[in-house]
Amino acid sequence: VTLRITGGRVYDPANGVAGDQRDVCLSAGKVVEEVPEGAARIDARGMVVMPGGVDIHAHIAGPAVNAARRLAPEEHRADVHDRSAVMRSGTGGTVPSTFVTGYRYALLGYTTVVEAAAPPLAARHVLAELRDTPMIDAAFLVLLGNNVALFDLIRRDPARVRDAVAWWLEATGGYGVKLVNAGGVERWKRGRGDVTSLDDEVAGVTPRQVIEAIAGAVHELELPHPVHVHCSNLGVAGNWRTTLDTLHTLEGRRAHLAHLQFHAYGGRPGGRLRSRAPDLAEYLGAHPEFSADVGQVMFGPATTMTADAPVSERLRDVTGGKWVNADTEVETGCGIVPFTYREKNYVHALQWGIGLELFLLSRDPWRLVLSTDHPNGGSFLSYPRLIRLLMDRDFRNDQLRRANKRAIQRTVLLDDLDREYTLEEIAIVTRAGPARLLGLRDKGHLGAGADADVTIYDERADREEMFATPRYVIKGGRVIVRDGELVEALAGDLLRVEAPYDPAVDDVLRDRFEERYSVQFDSYPVCEPWLLEPARRVAAGRPG
Amino acid sequence: MPSPERAGAARHRSATCGGCGLVCDDITAVVGDDGGLERLIRTCPLGDAWFAQRAGPRPPAARVDGREAGVEAALDEAAAILGRARAPLVYGLGQTSCEAQRAAVALAEAIGAVIDPAGPLLDGASGLASTARGSSTATLGEVRDRAEIVMVWRADPVATHPRLLERLRLPEAGRALVVVDARRTATAAQADTFVELAADLALEALSTLRAHVRGSAVVPVAGLEPLGDLAARLRGSRNVAILHHLPGHVEALALHALVRDLFGVTHAVALTLRHEANAAGAENVLAWQTGYPAAVGFATGHPRASPGELAGAAVLARGDADAALVVGSDPLAHLPPPAAERLRAIPVVSVDARSTATADAARVAFTTGAAGVHRPGVAHRLDGVPVPLRAVLTSSRPSDEEVLAAIAERVARPGEDAA
């Protein structure tokens, strides 16, 4: 299949193209230099052409997501999706069913999504849901920050940690490594409360040791995506110090911080939140080895779901409503609380403002990329509105005036922060940047050899409308959205890492398994081809 | 053909048991020279029966009206029944793999059916309570390694989940097994503490226990005196796990409220002792594909859930279903009489690896290659952990998943002659 997209304004920041009118040629699922005369054409005059969107941090598949679905019959009833000639039916809301998740990402122009928190023990469940999530290529990050078998290795046999990390990735089909409140969840599961500092003791290690050991292992393995860190003390006043302490601990290695907004709070512990976004934006700007996604909150309904179960326990006491807690042996916790962010609420408005501060003070869009931590800060369906907030100062100021005044006064948003993101910067924070941070060299750009994942928007003054309804979306060279309608359903690939390790680690782990897990060591690694394929391997190691 | 030495070495095969919701994956199946199952290591009586039902003599792969039929002809007949039904019901799903469950949901959607797992009927109402309020749960390894008090609430796992106590390493010094039940069950016989509780006081007991835990005023009820001490023990423990099998929705909500309040004092979780091996998987697959775990109707072109109205037993009892597809389940053995009566009156397609009363009475019955015996697959244990089912024997029979996919394919192109 060959296709020429002609006459559009192309935004391909990875290749230095910023709005030039040029053709993009696709053949056999890849971007190519030229296609023969007579190839099919899309007339993209008056349109904006970008690589397919890449979501670096979302929660779309696995036991936590599914437990959240089961909590939300009201949302599902109000947002149904009919079966059609090409689509399965389903339901939406903040936690859509799997098929609808895939369709809606595609309709939004996103073609690659990272599930950011998979319990390794539940890998088969995560993979089975991804198999039922069409349209997108998907990768997932495995939770290793509260793994007591790894803690044991860190204490007794630290030289093996690197092989063990690679083993876990291979055993699950994972792409990268996630730390969530390292040590804190395990400490809380032991009934000793959450950690407050990186030097609290948990099972013979400290959060700092865990972060150092696992970040070090990821660094040495040269995984395509650096360690992906959800810092401790999420949501707590004064937590920016923990965030900085985490970054100091990581210095010298690459790292990605998840949903930085939730970790950018000043104020005294137990007191009112303040914004420390300017300090963190400054620090991030000065440290090229670090990156983050924002985790913007958007006013309206959300579902908080996190492996950081102590946070959910605090939140349930705020809402008094539905709450799920689910402890996974050896590895992690999980908490879910449906939540609504309200613009008149001081805390919610400040969170919203801090996210915007981070975006607007960011010096390098390649390293501070867009997320709402879907569905924690809001649904991925709110990305177009977020883009408008970034691109349209008048719209933003209008929204600022409607939000809680005391909260907004605590930010620098009213201090002539009149930056407006350009289309090039939006292309960076929604595709080129995330793809680069993930080490997905075939994604997020339109140079020859890239995957033929392309989104074409009608150029419109209302950026929310423009980004909410792409005119065309092309995945692997096939037109899947035409005139805003989904016209073809297809299965995406699993993106998994390939990181070699010493097989001798099997025996080291086997002993630790029989003691701790309630499944057999030999049952643990996923081997079912229908769960793992079709997959694409991304090799660890420096790009050659 | 493997060489004799290799065949000898390969006779011991790792296996997973589907005999109950524990889905023990530490079983060894010893395969005889004739390719049949010679013996099993580490199974319990339920496990032995589970393997025997699938590895032993069984009806032919396909039957129509009780008579042996070719698989293709039976598929055509099944597709014809389901394709022309105006209000089909898809029911069961607890004793098959997630892969087959996935195919069953797809087929239910394609034919506009109501689909309902048997789990909510067999395992009680805790699922509804969890949709309404949430839940606090844990995997078995967490309960084994952390629960200082394991409280079995009106259930008898020694009979229904024979290896549960072994897998939770109970009894063990420093940990207590507390059983609350109306009679001294086999499980109670092994308990450190047995609290006898009249069945009709179950709801009052949960409220009373909760009041004690919260420290609020307690209305004295005769027969519930021991609960004050029990509440004090729960409060004083660092980690509590409640294992239950609750029949009623109100009782399930009360238990949830207790766990939630206990969680403010100590770490507390609750687990439903699901009977069927993949009951949890059925609800999970349905939830991820539709947004709802049970009682889902596709008649309007999208999923609509209504637990009272669209529960399989209710649909049947009202006389609303005009055909049924039963997968991995024996509803004639467990449905209430009015529902069972209706099921006998309508054309039924049964897809099951075992011989069941429902299959024997069905218009079309497929007796399939079993996930966990002849075919690989995945089951979600009662705590939600996905466990691999392994093929230890060979069979030329199609699997549940293959039968369902083949029916779906025929339903999708009804005009064509399958021959």
Side-chain angles (χ1 to χ4, degrees), chain A residues 343-389:
Chain A
E343 59 192 355
K344 299 301 182 197
N345 177 294
Y346 172 84
V347 172
H348 305 177
L350 186 62
Q351 291 178 310
W352 177 81
I354 288 171
L356 293 178
E357 283 184 302
L358 288 170
F359 274 116
L360 297 172
L361 297 170
S362 163
R363 288 196 231 150
D364 184 356
W366 291 93
R367 291 188 294 111
L368 188 81
V369 300
L370 185 143
S371 78
T372 59
D373 186 14
H374 161 84
N376 281 284
S379 162
F380 63 84
L381 293 174
S382 61
Y383 294 171
R385 187 175 194 86
L386 175 53
I387 289 170
R388 187 174 180 198
L389 284 168

Side-chain angles (χ1 to χ4, degrees), chain A residues 59-98:
Chain A
H59 302 281
I60 59 166
V65 177
N66 213 35
R69 288 189 189 105
R70 297 176 65 161
L71 281 185
E74 308 88 348
E75 283 192 6
H76 294 153
R77 208 163 288 138
D79 185 7
V80 297
H81 178 95
D82 279 313
R83 174 183 177 81
S84 76
V86 290
M87 288 185 277
R88 293 285 303 272
S89 71
T91 51
T94 55
V95 194
S97 59
T98 51

Side-chain angles (χ1 to χ4, degrees), chain A residues 135 194 254:
Chain A
M135 319 308 286
D194 199 352
R254 288 178 63 214

Side-chain angles (χ1 to χ4, degrees), chain B:
Chain B
M1 285 289 287
S3 66
E5 305 83 53
R6 281 192 57 89
R11 287 178 64 216
H12 285 66
R13 291 178 189 160
S14 291
T16 301
C17 176
C20 74
L22 290 177
V23 197
C24 298
D25 64 331
D26 61 349
I27 309 301
T28 300
V30 183
V31 179
D33 291 336
D34 61 350
L37 195 55
E38 199 170 276
R39 68 193 167 91
L40 294 155
I41 301 172
R42 277 186 295 278
T43 42
C44 67
L46 287 185
D48 290 335
W50 187 82
F51 278 100
Q53 285 167 349
R54 288 159 178 79
R58 295 189 295 162
R63 288 175 287 166
V64 175
D65 291 323
R67 285 185 294 278
E68 177 164 6
V71 169
E72 295 296 316
L75 288 169
D76 291 341
E77 179 63 16
I81 291 168
L82 296 170
R84 72 173 166 254
R86 286 170 49 217
L89 169 70
V90 179
Y91 183 80
L93 306 170
Q95 301 221 35
T96 190
S97 66
C98 290
E99 290 72 21
Q101 290 161 349
R102 177 178 182 265
V105 183
L107 177 54
E109 183 189 302
I111 60 178
V114 167
I115 181 167
D116 189 39
L121 185 66
L122 297 174
D123 293 326
S126 51
L128 266 178
S130 111
T131 288
R133 293 293 291 154
S135 57
S136 175
T137 68
T139 62
L140 291 175
E142 284 283 335
V143 176
R144 179 195 63 204
D145 292 340
R146 297 195 211 267
E148 294 178 355
I149 298 181
V150 174
M151 180 162 84
V152 175
W153 186 268
R154 304 207 325 124
D156 188 13
V158 167
T160 57
H161 300 73
R163 293 185 63 201
L164 179 71
L165 297 185
E166 170 208 332
R167 297 196 60 181
L168 297 182
R169 283 193 206 130
L170 286 168
E172 186 179 42
R175 296 167 67 218
L177 174 65
V178 175
V179 173
V180 181
D181 213 327
R183 59 190 179 87
R184 193 170 280 276
T185 59
T187 308
Q190 305 216 23
D192 303 281
T193 305
F194 171 56
V195 179
E196 192 169 336
L197 175 76
D200 58 355
L201 283 180
L203 188 57
E204 286 84 347
L206 285 167
S207 319
T208 302
L209 201 49
R210 181 174 172 223
H212 281 299
V213 163
R214 290 165 65 99
S216 34
V218 174
V219 183
V221 176
L224 299 185
E225 295 81 1
L227 295 181
D229 284 347
L230 181 57
R233 286 178 68 189
L234 296 177
R235 284 186 62 103
S237 159
R238 266 204 304 197
N239 191 304
V240 174
I242 303 177
L243 312 180
H244 60 87
H245 196 255
L246 296 170
H249 185 46
V250 181
E251 195 180 342
L253 281 170
L255 182 94
H256 171 79
L258 170 66
V259 172
R260 189 175 172 123
D261 284 341
L262 202 48
F263 210 102
V265 182
T266 181
H267 200 97
V269 300
L271 266 179
T272 304
L273 291 173
R274 291 175 159 287
H275 286 182
E276 295 192 312
N278 202 16
E283 293 177 22
N284 277 334
V285 171
L286 197 50
W288 82 55
Q289 292 210 354
T290 71
Y292 310 105
V296 177
F298 286 108
T300 50
H302 57 253
R304 184 176 77 86
S306 184
E309 175 201 359
L310 297 182
V315 168
L316 287 168
R318 279 199 311 272
D320 281 355
D322 62 355
L325 169 66
V326 176
V327 183
S329 185
D330 190 9
L332 286 184
H334 70 241
L335 282 177
E341 210 169 290
R342 175 68 180 178
L343 192 63
R344 287 184 190 281
I346 59 176
V348 170
V349 177
S350 164
V351 182
D352 204 314
R354 311 169 281 173
S355 168
T356 65
T358 306
D360 289 344
R363 175 76 57 80
V364 183
F366 298 92
T367 307
T368 52
V373 178
H374 312 104
R375 297 304 189 95
V378 174
H380 291 189
R381 226 164 55 179
L382 59 83
D383 58 357
V385 171
V387 179
L389 304 171
R390 290 174 278 214
V392 291
L393 304 179
T394 55
S395 168
S396 58
R397 295 170 186 245
S399 66
D400 292 351
E401 180 190 9
E402 286 162 348
V403 169
L404 294 168
I407 295 173
E409 200 180 308
R410 280 164 168 76
V411 168
R413 29 181 198 85
E416 295 175 37
D417 187 355

